[in-house]
Amino acid sequence: MSVPTTQRPTGTETATGRLGDITLLPDGIPKVTGDFAYSSDLWMDDMLWGVTLRSPHPRARVRSIDIGAALATAGVTAVLTHEDVPGSKYYGLEIADQPVLAVDEVRYTGEPVAIVAADHPETARRAAAKIVVDYEVLDPITDSRAAMSPDSPLVHATPTQDHYPGGGNILRHVRIRRGDPTLTADVVVTGEYDVGMQDQAFLGPESGLAVPAEDGGVDLFIATQWLHVDQRQVAESLGLPEDKVRLSLAGVGGAFGAREDVSMQIHACLLALRTNKPIKMVYSREESFYGHVHRHPATMRYEHGANRDGTLVYVKCEVVLDGGAYASSSPAVVSNAASFAVGPYNCDNVLIDGYILYTNNPPCGAMRGFGAVQVCFGHESQMDKLAAALGIDPVELRIHNAMAEGSLMPTGQVVEGAAPVAELLRRVKDAPLPAAAPTDSYDLRALPGGVSNTTHGEGVRRGVGYAVGFKNVGYSEGFDDFSTARVRLEVVGGELVATVHTAAAEVGQGLITVMAQIARTELGVEQVINQPADTSIGTAGSTSASRQTYCTGGAVQAACEAVRDGILAMASARGLSVEGAALRDGKIVAADGAAVASVADLLGEEIVEETREFHHRPTEPLTRDLGAPGDIGQGAAHLQFAFAAHRVVADVDVELGLVRLVEVTTAQDVGKALNPLSVVGQIQGGTTQGIGLALMEEIQVKDGKIRNPSFTDYLIPTILDTPPMQVQVLELGDPHAPYGLRGVGEPPTISSTPAVVSALRAATGRPLTRVPVRPEHITGT
Amino acid sequence: MDFLYARSWDEALAAKAERPDAVPISGGTDLMVDLNFDRRRPDALLDLNGVEEFTRWERVNGHVRIGAAVPFTRIINEIGSLVPGLAIASRTVGSPQIRNRGTLGGNLATASPAGDALPPLMVADATVEVGSVRGERTVPVREFFTGPKRSVLEPDELIRAVLVPVADGPQQFAKVGTRNAMVISVCSFALALHPARRTVAGCIGSAGPTVLPTPDAEQYLEAELADRRLWDSRAELDEAVATRFGELAGAHARPIDDVRGTADYRRHAVAVLARRTLQWTWTEYRRAQR
């Protein structure tokens, strides 16, 4: 097999650092200087370029596709349609409902219809423009609530096997009932809340290189979150056994959920096998907005009943998520939305209905926070509203109802391990507040609008808001969620070297550092090499759900323990006493601290290598029998819960509706901070992504078409929109998790959005029931 | 695509005469976005980066003559005190990288109603020097724009320089965007006081098909300032006058609903910006006396 020029041929060596040490990411500086090789930088001298022809319509029947003129274009090697897909013509993470290339109908604007390979990307694009597709344009189904009606036309005429029975466009309905939701309460507040469609806005567009192999298979170099789930889907559509489809991780430019689904993987492999040439595909920025799933827009209706003292009596919630044209991970997202709809609060009487709908809008799926983000905006807005109705301080109301260890979820699941909701809230509330804005001078950079010079202090009011949220770590509802790691210990050039191999995708979060820290700590070795991630080893599961340090970290730990046992067995076989011994600083160290032997001397030419899987504790699917009596939607569906709380201080120009965040304070329990620097980085980044949803980030869709597919009009926070952050990291330790850790990546994204909006409400007195909050929502114009 | 290159004004005019379809490129901060997004496929580009005189500015008879390719960063750093309104607007353009490359001539030629430099040029009574092999002419900025992304430039013409009178009174510019940096204008407003002439000039950006002057608001304010003898007394400006000025300015907006904002919000925001910029300029005028 030939190897493309930017594939890192040898592993990545991380500098130093054991568990708990601040450890720098080895690829951090290359990313800043531009030296890092992303998947879009892959290159082979004889490669061709692949491009995709996409549907301009959100809903249309495809009457015919004429590829003649495109194929006749000089430089064009192949033009493929659905007829050229040798294996399964449909793919999907959970439900195979998405065509590799449109078969007889397109269901969203941007759906791939045909693919072209040519010797130059421009040639391929021009040829794609010559493909004649005869569409019978149909009225799109774009309103998710209207799509729930039994009278609605269907997005999918033939329901898939997992389809909610008889539900029309309802892809899944999660119904949770516990206790007695018919109760009445002293104080009742209702509210309706909307969340717009957020994009993951990663910087590295979808890209990869497919190389045909001599055995009739294909090698794919790809930026993804889960090599093996891509491998399965690619192999199924190519009609090849999985061992003929080999994937290697290329440099990933961010993910945030948007790389869970297949984008150009199958297309590039189809073209590579057809042309027998390497095929490179790189989406443009605009195409990228059509090339991946987004965060589900939500409409939510809430009713909270409470006693005069603030104790929650009941919560009712209906959340409707727009899944768009295809299933993606939507069934799991709506399960999460329903599970977390009440927030981290005790409430014995709950009535929750989560719906996810097929529509002709862009497909939605995984994004950091995964269903918990939308409902957190709902339940936290309600808690503020309830506090106002009761005349209770909003933080005290939350603390009064705060979930703790042993609390029951709406699903009846007992919350195990630390659940420090009250402490997190107290910590952000007790943190010192920033100084008031000066009244005798102004600095534009510190004012709403910044150097755009919209105010010199006029109309500016300060508000403080709070929110707390939580979500699950790892895959839920009975999924066998596991990872595989191989660890080798050997002497290379007189030095003891550990090599760690997994298929886990490093997407910028810092797993490669953590893996090396684990190996260093467990094996007492300095030099650790991370072998590039590929499918020559078993699956690591997805880099999703804040699970990779938990699962792959657990697998590396297990493999290291096995290697250590192997070393100790060698020592024992040579008559050394190793009872209770550990490996430290290259030596076998007895329980009393005495060095027994040098590991390098013991090993000599030998290699100790072990492979282990780490399966997290099993979870249960939620009960789905809608006809059954008693509580439903019940079960210990989740592995672990992770909590974070935010306080936001915002200055708002109430006349112009412009916002300047003054400061954000976050408190989060991470169980154990394996790399404290990365933990803080995740909390800062996650918080910022939530700020974006609160203030600016929205894919605007009208009549099934994206109106702002660019970073000119899809705005994400700049550093001038990102305030100073106080971060308080708690390490309370989960006895069930490797090293006591708790997933870190997602919780800060969940509660930062409602905390921002809470601060805006405090400053403006406006209800602000939709995110992102636009200036006109604040000014009321 | 043909790539033409000019080393002098004459060479550039000759090239443009021969290839009127050639799109001039200097900083490329608008044009390259269009090319990258495949919105434009010009048959030829005319690279003006070799024309040294475009990058110069000089003082001429009470004016600053700014070469077409002087980037925003240099306007801020080198002539900010001479053309303060333009300098404030230049600070709001894009990112530092865009300000280093983007030029005043490009802002004019693109003729977007959201061009940040355009409202302050309007209120300063700037004129544009344009030319072709057929000859040269000057066009007041007030007459330069004919519609969204359209101007009086003929296909064979190029912008040579912009003549901006040195400020004769306080100037301000304010721009609403939905984030605190690097944002395209939702709407903007520029204001200049001309105490010697006892006139004022306002201009709306990004709330109409072109940048829009605000004659009703100007006439109202000039009358109030005259009736109340405020030019001489330099007394405080009644908040009601500023508010009325804002309302009249907002009424000149001709905004639409789009992805960046609603028409109603834009009209409202223009009124707020006009009121505030008036108070800022008036406060500066009052202080100038002491």
Side-chain angles (χ1 to χ4, degrees):
Chain A
M1 186 196 93
S2 49
V3 174
T5 52
T6 64
Q7 180 65 17
R8 287 168 289 181
T10 55
T12 312
E13 194 176 337
T14 61
T16 55
R18 289 160 195 276
L19 289 176
D21 294 346
I22 285 178
T23 306
L24 296 178
L25 306 178
D27 53 6
I29 288 171
K31 280 175 174 166
V32 172
T33 57
D35 289 331
F36 183 80
Y38 289 98
S39 54
S40 52
D41 298 320
L42 292 162
W43 191 274
M44 290 180 88
D45 284 341
D46 59 341
M47 71 184 190
L48 304 175
W49 295 78
V51 307
T52 312
L53 177 72
R54 295 175 181 276
S55 166
H57 308 293
R59 184 169 180 236
R61 261 188 271 286
V62 179
R63 289 203 193 96
S64 65
I65 305 173
D66 179 359
I67 63 169
L71 201 50
T73 305
V76 170
T77 324
V79 181
L80 308 184
T81 69
H82 69 91
E83 291 178 358
D84 302 295
V85 180
S88 172
K89 291 183 192 298
Y90 298 87
Y91 70 94
L93 284 171
E94 299 179 26
I95 300 169
D97 64 351
Q98 189 153 1
V100 173
L101 293 165
V103 177
D104 48 8
E105 185 171 340
V106 289
R107 295 184 180 84
Y108 73 97
T109 306
E111 178 159 354
V113 176
I115 47 177
V116 178
D119 54 8
H120 191 280
E122 182 62 23
T123 306
R125 277 193 288 272
R126 289 186 187 203
K130 293 183 193 167
I131 298 171
V132 180
V133 186
D134 182 11
Y135 291 106
E136 179 192 347
V137 177
L138 305 172
D139 285 340
I141 300 147
T142 58
D143 180 323
S144 53
R145 282 197 178 263
M148 289 174 74
S149 160
D151 303 329
S152 170
L154 295 176
V155 176
H156 291 267
T158 320
T160 51
Q161 74 273 16
D162 256 29
H163 195 274
Y164 174 66
N169 290 312
I170 300 173
L171 170 56
R172 187 174 175 191
H173 172 194
V174 177
R175 204 154 102 119
I176 296 176
R177 301 283 185 280
R178 192 165 67 76
D180 180 5
T182 65
L183 293 174
T184 55
D186 297 339
V187 175
V188 173
V189 293
T190 60
E192 297 193 7
Y193 305 95
D194 295 327
V195 176
M197 185 186 289
Q198 189 179 19
D199 189 64
Q200 298 85 351
F202 55 48
L203 295 186
E206 293 83 352
S207 46
L209 182 70
V211 185
E214 285 175 5
D215 66 353
V218 63
D219 293 283
L220 177 64
F221 300 85
I222 186 72
T224 182
Q225 292 179 235
W226 187 357
L227 288 165
H228 284 79
V229 83
D230 285 6
Q231 181 190 37
R232 171 180 66 75
Q233 293 171 92
V234 173
E236 283 172 5
S237 287
L238 296 180
L240 289 174
E242 287 189 8
D243 64 1
K244 290 276 181 73
V245 178
R246 295 160 294 255
L247 276 71
S248 299
L249 190 69
V252 181
F256 312 109
R259 290 189 214 274
E260 285 192 18
D261 293 79
V262 161
S263 58
M264 42 56 67
Q265 286 89 327
I266 303 172
H267 297 160
C269 292
L270 284 170
L271 289 170
L273 291 177
R274 172 63 70 100
T275 62
N276 204 30
K277 293 273 193 182
I279 297 288
K280 175 169 178 169
M281 293 185 82
V282 182
Y283 289 178
S284 71
R285 177 59 57 199
E286 180 170 5
E287 186 174 22
S288 177
F289 276 93
Y290 298 101
H292 61 253
V293 298
H294 315 292
R295 190 191 297 292
H296 295 83
T299 65
M300 298 175 281
R301 293 175 180 157
Y302 270 95
E303 182 178 320
H304 280 58
N307 289 336
R308 286 264 165 237
D309 71 352
T311 307
L312 286 174
V313 175
Y314 69 85
V315 175
K316 299 178 187 176
C317 170
E318 180 196 71
V319 52
V320 177
L321 301 175
D322 186 341
Y326 296 105
S328 181
S329 51
S330 283
V333 172
V334 71
S335 172
N336 262 22
S339 272
F340 301 109
V342 174
Y345 304 112
N346 293 311
C347 184
D348 291 331
N349 306 295
V350 293
L351 184 154
I352 299 165
D353 286 289
Y355 298 92
I356 199 142
L357 275 297
Y358 280 125
T359 68
N360 293 115
N361 287 323
C364 290
M367 183 175 171
R368 196 178 199 170
F370 204 79
V373 164
Q374 292 91 333
V375 292
C376 190
F377 176 58
H379 63 68
E380 290 304 272
S381 298
Q382 282 287 99
M383 291 306 274
D384 277 355
K385 199 169 182 177
L386 184 61
L390 289 161
I392 297 178
D393 175 273
V395 176
E396 293 308 318
L397 177 71
R398 286 171 168 87
I399 290 172
H400 180 71
N401 290 288
M403 183 175 269
E405 185 167 358
S407 289
L408 283 189
M409 290 284 291
T411 55
Q413 179 169 5
V414 177
V415 176
E416 298 179 327
V421 178
E423 183 177 356
L424 295 173
L425 285 162
R426 282 198 190 96
R427 279 176 174 255
V428 296
K429 186 165 190 198
D430 293 346
L433 279 163
T439 50
D440 55 343
S441 65
Y442 67 88
D443 178 345
L444 284 179
R445 292 167 301 180
L447 285 165
V451 294
S452 291
N453 192 39
T454 48
T455 179
H456 296 173
E458 303 96 323
V460 177
R461 310 260 188 282
R462 179 160 291 187
V464 180
Y466 296 87
V468 61
F470 73 140
K471 89 170 283 285
N472 51 331
V473 172
Y475 279 33
S476 297
E477 283 207 80
F479 190 88
D480 180 16
D481 194 12
F482 71 99
S483 181
T484 315
R486 178 155 53 234
V487 173
R488 184 169 74 228
L489 194 62
E490 64 197 311
V491 178
V492 179
E495 292 278 331
L496 199 56
V497 177
T499 303
V500 180
H501 188 200
T502 75
E506 169 65 52
V507 302
Q509 82 279 32
L511 180 70
I512 51 174
T513 317
V514 165
M515 292 193 298
Q517 290 175 273
I518 291 172
R520 265 188 219 106
T521 306
E522 297 291 347
L523 298 176
V525 57
E526 273 310 307
Q527 276 201 56
V528 180
I529 291 172
N530 284 312
Q531 220 166 298
D534 58 37
T535 52
S536 70
I537 185 169
T539 180
S542 185
T543 298
S544 304
S546 305
R547 65 175 282 288
Q548 212 49 294
T549 296
Y550 194 123
C551 294
T552 295
V556 172
Q557 180 189 26
C560 285
E561 286 170 354
V563 167
R564 184 183 62 210
D565 290 348
I567 297 284
L568 295 182
M570 283 173 72
S572 184
R574 293 182 198 179
L576 297 169
S577 170
V578 294
E579 187 65 29
L583 304 186
R584 211 147 53 226
D585 299 333
K587 298 185 179 65
I588 297 174
V589 179
D592 64 1
V596 177
S598 149
V599 177
D601 291 349
L602 185 69
L603 270 174
E605 300 283 300
E606 287 193 58
I607 293 171
V608 179
E609 179 177 286
E610 295 290 345
T611 304
R612 289 291 180 277
E613 286 180 1
F614 176 88
H615 294 249
H616 73 52
R617 292 191 298 153
T619 59
E620 302 168 358
L622 293 177
T623 54
R624 289 203 196 194
D625 184 357
L626 300 182
D631 296 344
I632 54 174
Q634 301 291 293
H638 300 304
L639 168 69
Q640 185 192 51
F641 300 104
F643 302 85
H646 282 90
R647 180 186 70 194
V648 169
V649 181
D651 280 347
V652 185
D653 182 338
V654 298
E655 286 188 296
L656 288 174
L658 302 181
V659 175
R660 164 84 191 169
L661 298 187
V662 179
E663 186 192 80
V664 177
T665 306
T666 310
Q668 182 171 338
D669 171 28
V670 304
K672 164 74 181 167
L674 301 193
N675 183 355
L677 188 66
S678 284
V679 163
V680 172
Q682 285 290 311
I683 292 172
Q684 291 172 333
T687 299
T688 306
Q689 217 153 11
I691 290 170
L693 176 60
L695 295 175
M696 61 189 81
E697 292 192 38
E698 182 175 11
I699 294 185
Q700 299 184 41
V701 180
K702 192 177 183 190
D703 302 327
K705 299 193 176 181
I706 297 176
R707 300 169 75 206
N708 55 339
S710 74
F711 284 156
T712 306
D713 284 313
Y714 182 89
L715 299 183
I716 57 179
T718 70
I719 196 66
L720 290 176
D721 301 281
T722 310
M725 294 183 188
Q726 297 186 52
V727 177
Q728 302 196 21
V729 175
L730 278 69
E731 297 183 271
L732 300 181
D734 179 346
H736 295 293
Y739 305 111
L741 70 86
R742 214 173 268 283
V744 174
E746 291 171 286
T749 307
I750 296 169
S751 45
S752 68
T753 304
V756 169
V757 180
S758 178
L760 302 191
R761 288 192 197 106
T764 64
R766 294 249 172 213
L768 303 179
T769 58
R770 182 185 198 282
V771 286
V773 176
R774 299 181 62 89
E776 56 265 30
H777 300 153
I778 293 173
T779 60
T781 49
Chain B
M1 185 189 292
D2 295 328
F3 191 80
L4 315 177
Y5 185 74
R7 282 176 195 77
S8 68
W9 172 242
D10 289 339
E11 266 186 38
L13 292 187
K16 193 72 171 123
E18 195 179 321
R19 291 292 300 270
D21 61 332
V23 179
I25 180 165
S26 183
T29 55
D30 283 330
L31 180 59
M32 289 310 296
V33 173
D34 280 355
L35 297 186
N36 283 333
F37 275 82
D38 213 6
R39 292 183 195 129
R40 284 176 87 169
R41 288 288 180 97
D43 290 328
L45 292 182
L46 172 56
D47 182 6
L48 301 176
N49 283 292
V51 183
E52 198 267 335
E53 71 150 89
F54 284 154
T55 64
R56 276 183 269 152
W57 64 266
E58 59 192 335
R59 290 190 70 160
V60 185
N61 297 332
H63 289 68
V64 191
R65 183 175 180 275
I66 305 170
V70 174
F72 295 108
T73 298
R74 289 185 53 211
I75 292 174
I76 298 164
N77 293 339
E78 297 173 20
I79 51 177
S81 61
L82 303 175
V83 287
L86 181 60
I88 296 170
S90 298
R91 283 188 197 100
T92 76
V93 172
S95 59
Q97 294 89 338
I98 298 287
R99 291 193 289 275
N100 286 342
R101 289 293 299 163
T103 66
L104 195 56
N107 218 223
L108 281 159
T110 298
S112 162
D116 292 320
L118 308 182
L121 291 180
M122 292 273 283
V123 300
D125 286 323
T127 52
V128 189
E129 291 182 20
V130 302
S132 69
V133 291
R134 296 174 290 117
E136 301 198 12
R137 59 181 178 135
T138 58
V139 183
V141 170
R142 289 183 181 279
E143 296 165 18
F144 190 78
F145 307 106
T146 56
K149 303 211 169 179
R150 291 200 305 273
S151 72
V152 299
L153 270 186
E154 298 289 341
D156 63 343
E157 279 183 319
L158 291 171
I159 297 171
R160 188 171 201 176
V162 186
L163 270 173
V164 189
V166 173
D168 58 337
Q171 299 181 346
Q172 276 292 347
F173 174 82
K175 158 178 153 181
V176 169
T178 41
R179 69 181 169 195
N180 289 317
M182 219 166 84
V183 67
I184 292 183
S185 175
V186 172
C187 62
S188 68
F189 190 78
L191 182 66
L193 305 188
H194 301 296
R197 308 197 311 249
R198 305 211 156 179
T199 62
V200 300
C203 181
I204 298 165
S206 206
T210 64
V211 291
L212 298 168
T214 55
D216 293 350
E218 292 160 14
Q219 282 163 24
Y220 162 79
L221 181 59
E222 285 165 5
E224 288 291 327
L225 294 175
D227 292 351
R228 298 171 186 232
R229 302 184 175 281
L230 291 175
W231 287 114
D232 295 323
S233 73
R234 300 189 190 233
E236 224 174 286
L237 188 66
D238 203 336
E239 187 66 27
V241 174
T243 301
R244 183 66 187 144
F245 173 76
E247 288 166 3
L248 289 168
H252 279 291
R254 288 157 56 200
I256 55 167
D257 291 336
D258 64 17
V259 292
R260 294 177 194 135
T262 63
D264 287 346
Y265 171 77
R266 287 184 160 109
R267 217 172 274 115
H268 162 82
V270 166
V272 173
L273 296 181
R275 164 163 51 85
R276 289 183 182 174
T277 51
L278 173 56
Q279 288 291 19
W280 301 338
T281 49
W282 190 254
T283 301
E284 187 184 336
Y285 173 68
R286 296 182 63 212
R287 281 192 190 136
Q289 180 198 34
R290 291 176 207 140

